[in-house]
Amino acid sequence: MTSTHDTSRPRVPAVPGRADRAAAWLAVLACLPYLTLKTAWVAGSPVGIPPGSPLLDHSLVLRLANAGTVVMDGAVIVLVLLLVRPWGLRAPWWLLLVPAWIATGLLLPIVLGYPAQLLAGLLGASGGEAEPFLANWVFAVVYGGFIVQALALGTLFARYVARRWPDVVRARLGGLRPGGSQRAPQWLAAGTLALTPLPLALQLAWAAGASAGLDAPGSVNSRVVAATHACALLLAVAGTLSLTWRRPPRLPLGVPLAATWLGSGATLCWALWMLLPMVSGAAADETSPLLLLVHLVRTLVGALAGAGLVVALRARAGRTGTRGAA
């Protein structure tokens, strides 16, 4: 019998192979610098923190935040095991997709932003920088590790998806049909579209050097960060609208799914991360009502786009009869 599938593409092996094991080791090793530094900070060491840094002003908050991020980075090792061990293919979907979505959301702005910041520095665009709250070598070690970690995890996750849900990989956007209430995707898309303009406009303005809602015009590094958050918002809304309207129909389904996955995760996770010091009082002096509003709205945009992603996956599962695809 002749196969109807495209045999010109290299197939991902049915079980993890040498490439998966290499990426797994790379992801785990990339965690070590961050885990080492964070553990030292939890223990009270000031290594890598210059005198006068605001990170030394809230020792209890700092230690609690560092302890939390140690747990988060340690969870990457568990995620790697899920992606490469045979029992990972039988794990409940939420046990894999939820931490993978969070990890993607936290890592994407670093992957996009840190190289851009280095490039801006090489080009001499470094004026207006405030005193660093961490030594420069800390950013190089930690963010370099995060970028390696992101690339390794991305490789593992893509290969895992191709093994567990091959029908999603092969599908076209036009074949997606709404599952459950047909109005749910429309309401989620409408909410995402309605809320995005405010944070997007301000992030773009901050990236251009505006100071609305800020104490002063942002530094070059902060402007790059604002640009990466604007990119995440654009990915979230573009992916959500594409999944809702199912246009263009010949587009591989994985493209809008990936856009929504990346954009919603980065928008929600980083908005919550920035809200944390504001609501805890650690950054109360630097918080304006407009800045607080932007992060709250970004949280809603990320949540709505993430819900739209779940609806789209459930629709694909209903069409194929594959419960695990949801």
Side-chain angles (χ1 to χ4, degrees):
M1 181 180 294
T2 303
S3 173
T4 59
H5 298 156
D6 183 4
T7 58
S8 63
R9 298 180 182 177
R11 293 181 178 273
V12 175
V15 295
R18 185 175 302 175
D20 299 274
R21 290 192 292 271
W25 277 109
L26 195 60
V28 171
L29 292 175
C31 295
L32 296 182
Y34 185 76
L35 287 174
T36 302
L37 271 174
K38 287 289 186 173
T39 303
W41 292 341
V42 170
S45 171
V47 58
I49 304 177
S53 170
L55 294 179
L56 300 175
D57 296 339
H58 304 278
S59 58
L60 179 59
V61 174
L62 177 64
R63 292 189 183 189
L64 290 176
N66 286 332
T69 51
V70 165
V71 174
M72 290 168 60
D73 208 44
V76 171
I77 299 174
V78 179
L79 181 59
V80 167
L81 291 175
L82 278 169
L83 292 171
V84 298
R85 301 304 301 166
W87 49 264
L89 292 171
R90 300 188 298 272
W93 66 268
W94 56 266
L95 189 61
L96 170 78
L97 296 187
V98 172
W101 182 68
I102 294 172
T104 304
L106 291 173
L107 290 172
L108 177 65
I110 296 173
V111 172
L112 296 177
Y114 186 60
Q117 290 174 339
L118 293 178
L119 180 60
L122 290 175
L123 296 176
S126 58
E129 298 295 338
E131 288 295 323
F133 61 94
L134 284 173
N136 288 332
W137 66 264
V138 174
F139 289 104
V141 169
V142 171
Y143 285 177
F146 280 163
I147 291 173
V148 173
Q149 188 181 119
L151 295 176
L153 282 175
T155 300
L156 287 173
F157 185 69
R159 293 171 66 85
Y160 178 97
V161 168
R163 279 191 292 268
R164 183 164 181 174
W165 299 300
D167 59 302
V168 175
V169 176
R170 294 191 297 264
R172 298 287 176 177
L173 186 57
L176 186 66
R177 293 293 181 269
S181 172
Q182 295 189 8
R183 291 189 175 273
Q186 297 173 3
W187 282 112
L188 291 170
T192 302
L193 186 61
L195 291 172
T196 298
L198 172 65
L200 179 60
L202 282 170
Q203 294 289 356
L204 291 173
W206 292 336
S211 60
L214 306 175
D215 293 336
S219 65
V220 172
N221 284 344
S222 64
R223 290 166 64 180
V224 170
V225 171
T228 61
H229 293 321
C231 289
L233 284 165
L234 287 171
L235 283 173
V237 70
T240 301
L241 294 178
S242 182
L243 289 173
T244 303
W245 293 335
R246 301 187 294 281
R247 296 289 186 274
R250 296 297 301 168
L251 185 70
L253 178 60
V255 174
L257 284 178
T260 311
W261 176 282
L262 293 170
S264 63
T267 297
L268 177 63
C269 292
W270 274 93
L272 290 175
W273 185 253
M274 291 180 172
L275 282 173
L276 180 62
M278 295 181 182
V279 299
S280 67
D285 296 339
E286 304 172 7
T287 302
S288 68
L290 184 59
L291 192 61
L292 183 62
L293 176 63
V294 166
H295 295 324
L296 286 173
V297 175
R298 288 175 59 215
T299 301
L300 292 175
V301 170
L304 289 173
L309 179 66
V310 172
V311 170
L313 290 174
R314 290 179 64 86
R316 181 61 194 172
R319 180 171 174 80
T320 60
T322 308
R323 293 176 59 87

